[in-house]
Amino acid sequence: SCKVFYAKDPLKIVRAQGQYMFDEKGEKYLDCINNVAHVGHSHPYVIKAATKQMELLNTNSRFLHDNLVQYAQRLTATLPEKLSVCYFVNSGSEANDLALRLARQYRGHQDVITLENAYHGHVTSLIDISPYKFNQLGKDSKKEYVHVAPSPDIYRGKYKEDHPDPASAYAEEVKKIIEETQKNGRKIAAFIAESMQSCGGQVIPPVGYFQKVAEYVRAVGGVFIADEVQVGFGRVGKHFWAFQLQGEDFVPDIVTMGKPIGNGHPMSCVVTTREIAEGFGASGLEYFNTFGGNPVSCAIGLAVLDVIEKEDLQGNATRVGNYLLELLAEQKEKHPLVGDIRGVGLFVGVDLVKDKQKRTPATAEALHLIYKLKERQILLSADGPYRNILKFKPPMCLTMEDAKHAVETIDALLTEMEEATGMKTENNASTNVQCKRKTTEESSPQKGASESIGHMNGAACRQENGIYSKKRSVPSKRIRT
């Protein structure tokens, strides 16, 4: 039951450093997959903090320890003020399972609203609310207390980018579900959503969507759970948490986090309001987690927060992420296989299509490209409901040179694929009219590329007075297979 990357020719990785992984032959790979190694593989500062604490003590939280309190203070300082109570656990799945318990205990309600293609974890309670998983089991696999709302995907969803107000339109779909459940005598405990859908295809909800959904859900006694397991801790660049992309006026009732929290060390957390925490405690059922919040985990968590701050990894995510989006936008203008570019910070998706007008998913082409990239020693994955979305979610130390190398390689491979299949390059003239790109030397935290969020479906190049900026061709190595 253990699935590996590259099933046809799996990699045996024996060590990793920063944004690079090395196999048993010593071959070096650029890692664009691992959002778990958040501050970089084998970060010496994190390793030192873990080793130092392991030499002293590791035990459960039945004893007092400063690390637990200090980490809780540091973590909640990154969140809106009302999110003030932490429950430390060991994985994203544990965090989301506990979040459901908190929500259901709060008002005594049971039903959960989730999104199409959502994935929240591998334990039974979460498979039940993860269409990404339970749809694989057949039509009758959805439980009666689970309600699935349309994914707020403005490229492939019900309401697309040309809709005058997709945020409200998608929120109204949730409202309809609430009204229907009430007619049937059911009560909503929670609405749960990844702040940006990852397995669902790198989907970024339109701004305002979460606010409206939260309003509808809270009106009937439910709570809003923001799942930050894959996208938190500064990955979006300009904010520490992805839900903050919705605006300062949106605050979830419960936030779950995992993966990047310990840079690969198994730890996670649920943060909620005092009101919800007190309701949970009033049940009389004590909550205890043997390993959650242990001194070593908290020492590692503190070290990760230190590195994010000291190495300005949020700033790096903004600068490198915007540069990556610019480079990929050029590929969209150049290649008929590239249908949509979407992303923010170092969370980027490339939607591959067979037909740009029909937006037909290019599933086989995406798989082929992933394997060809592996041959060029670049590790990338494909996901989404059609497995046609290239997913960039690399360690936060990815550089502009890495981004350029990855995109140049993708450019060369797409050209080969299009030539082999007879697909004609669209707008041949546009291949010679490229965006003026800032190089590493030209960019700085103050003068980095402008922040890019969402989709790039229009002309990718910056225009000045109606004329494209300096023409520049995309350098790439044309590698023949």
Side-chain angles (χ1 to χ4, degrees):
S1 63
C2 181
K3 186 178 180 180
V4 297
F5 285 121
Y6 314 107
K8 294 178 183 177
D9 184 21
L11 283 173
K12 181 180 179 181
I13 298 296
V14 297
R15 69 183 181 91
Q17 187 73 45
Q19 66 272 43
Y20 300 104
M21 304 183 85
F22 300 84
D23 68 13
E24 80 276 21
K25 299 175 184 176
E27 294 293 331
K28 177 180 174 182
Y29 295 83
L30 175 61
D31 180 11
C32 296
I33 293 175
N34 272 290
N35 58 336
V36 179
H38 192 64
V39 300
H41 292 280
S42 308
H43 197 289
Y45 185 85
V46 178
I47 292 170
K48 184 178 179 180
T51 305
K52 184 178 178 181
Q53 183 56 51
M54 288 174 75
E55 290 173 343
L56 291 172
L57 172 72
N58 198 25
T59 185
N60 63 48
S61 55
R62 294 291 193 188
F63 301 95
L64 301 178
H65 199 279
D66 289 348
N67 285 5
L68 179 65
V69 179
Q70 290 170 2
Y71 185 57
Q73 290 175 332
R74 284 279 300 278
L75 192 61
T76 53
T78 67
L79 290 157
E81 187 176 358
K82 81 169 192 173
L83 294 167
S84 59
V85 182
C86 300
Y87 295 85
F88 292 106
V89 287
N90 306 294
S91 70
S93 291
E94 268 197 283
N96 282 329
D97 179 73
L98 178 56
L100 288 181
R101 285 181 59 188
L102 287 165
R104 285 170 169 159
Q105 175 63 32
Y106 182 52
R107 300 286 191 195
H109 300 175
Q110 177 72 12
D111 289 29
V112 177
I113 301 175
T114 187
L115 293 176
E116 288 175 335
N117 311 315
Y119 175 66
H120 295 290
H122 64 80
V123 299
T124 300
S125 66
L126 303 177
I127 294 295
D128 287 347
I129 63 166
S130 298
Y132 180 81
K133 287 292 186 180
F134 72 63
N135 282 339
Q136 299 174 33
L137 302 174
K139 295 180 180 180
D140 300 324
S141 57
K142 186 175 78 66
K143 301 292 191 292
E144 61 178 355
Y145 57 81
V146 176
H147 312 280
V148 181
S151 171
D153 182 348
I154 63 172
Y155 182 71
R156 292 197 172 278
K158 186 174 182 180
Y159 307 106
K160 295 183 171 56
E161 70 277 1
D162 57 356
H163 190 281
D165 187 1
S168 295
Y170 279 115
E172 284 297 313
E173 295 290 330
V174 176
K175 186 178 181 181
K176 291 175 186 176
I177 288 173
I178 293 172
E179 291 170 348
E180 188 64 26
T181 57
Q182 286 186 308
K183 288 178 183 177
N184 295 329
R186 307 193 68 90
K187 295 181 179 180
I188 300 298
F191 172 90
I192 184 169
E194 299 157 85
S195 298
M196 300 188 296
Q197 281 191 297
S198 182
C199 293
Q202 307 296 86
V203 176
I204 304 170
V207 174
Y209 172 67
F210 282 175
Q211 287 93 328
K212 293 180 186 299
V213 168
E215 178 186 340
Y216 300 147
V217 171
R218 289 167 181 160
V220 294
V223 301
F224 192 109
I225 303 171
D227 179 342
E228 292 270 340
V229 170
Q230 297 217 47
V231 296
F233 291 89
R235 177 160 293 278
V236 299
K238 67 175 185 174
H239 298 295
F240 204 79
W241 304 103
F243 72 77
Q244 293 171 318
L245 291 169
Q246 292 282 310
E248 293 182 5
D249 61 332
F250 173 68
V251 180
D253 301 295
I254 302 173
V255 176
T256 61
M257 53 196 76
K259 293 189 189 296
I261 192 173
N263 209 52
H265 178 79
M267 64 182 296
S268 61
C269 186
V270 180
V271 186
T272 189
T273 65
R274 185 164 297 279
E275 183 183 11
I276 291 174
E278 288 175 351
F280 184 60
S283 69
L285 182 65
E286 179 193 49
Y287 180 77
F288 174 69
N289 188 299
T290 302
F291 299 107
N294 70 75
V296 172
S297 291
C298 290
I300 290 171
L302 284 164
V304 169
L305 293 179
D306 285 343
V307 174
I308 292 171
E309 183 178 340
K310 291 177 181 179
E311 298 185 6
D312 187 28
L313 293 183
Q314 276 187 257
N316 189 66
T318 295
R319 293 186 294 274
V320 178
N322 288 337
Y323 183 60
L324 176 61
L325 284 167
E326 288 180 11
L327 297 177
L328 290 169
E330 293 175 5
Q331 303 311 308
K332 181 186 178 301
E333 294 300 301
K334 182 176 181 179
H335 295 287
L337 275 169
V338 180
D340 187 39
I341 306 297
R342 50 184 176 265
V344 54
L346 287 175
F347 181 87
V348 175
V350 181
D351 197 313
L352 297 185
V353 297
K354 295 178 181 179
D355 185 300
K356 284 193 177 185
Q357 297 300 317
K358 297 178 181 178
R359 303 186 179 184
T360 312
T363 302
E365 290 81 355
L367 181 63
H368 178 78
L369 184 59
I370 291 301
Y371 271 87
K372 286 297 181 182
L373 282 168
K374 178 199 167 223
E375 291 177 10
R376 272 50 166 199
Q377 294 168 286
I378 296 172
L379 306 182
L380 198 63
S381 62
D383 217 329
Y386 305 103
R387 299 293 192 274
N388 69 307
I389 314 293
L390 306 182
K391 295 172 61 173
F392 284 88
K393 47 187 182 67
M396 296 275 280
C397 52
L398 192 82
T399 67
M400 290 194 177
E401 290 84 357
D402 295 327
K404 183 179 180 183
H405 171 57
V407 177
E408 286 180 353
T409 308
I410 289 171
D411 176 29
L413 290 171
L414 287 174
T415 300
E416 288 178 7
M417 291 167 64
E418 289 161 357
E419 289 177 353
T421 58
M423 294 181 77
K424 292 183 179 179
T425 303
E426 295 181 354
N427 303 322
N428 288 329
S430 72
T431 63
N432 295 317
V433 183
Q434 302 296 344
C435 296
K436 181 179 179 181
R437 302 197 299 259
K438 293 182 182 293
T439 63
T440 307
E441 293 76 21
E442 292 171 332
S443 297
S444 68
Q446 292 78 25
K447 297 182 180 180
S450 59
E451 290 173 335
S452 303
I453 299 178
H455 299 248
M456 295 185 175
N457 276 321
C461 298
R462 178 168 54 87
Q463 292 180 315
E464 297 174 0
N465 300 323
I467 303 174
Y468 282 108
S469 52
K470 292 182 183 179
K471 296 181 181 180
R472 183 174 176 179
S473 60
V474 180
S476 63
K477 296 179 181 178
R478 304 292 181 180
I479 304 171
R480 300 292 177 185
T481 56

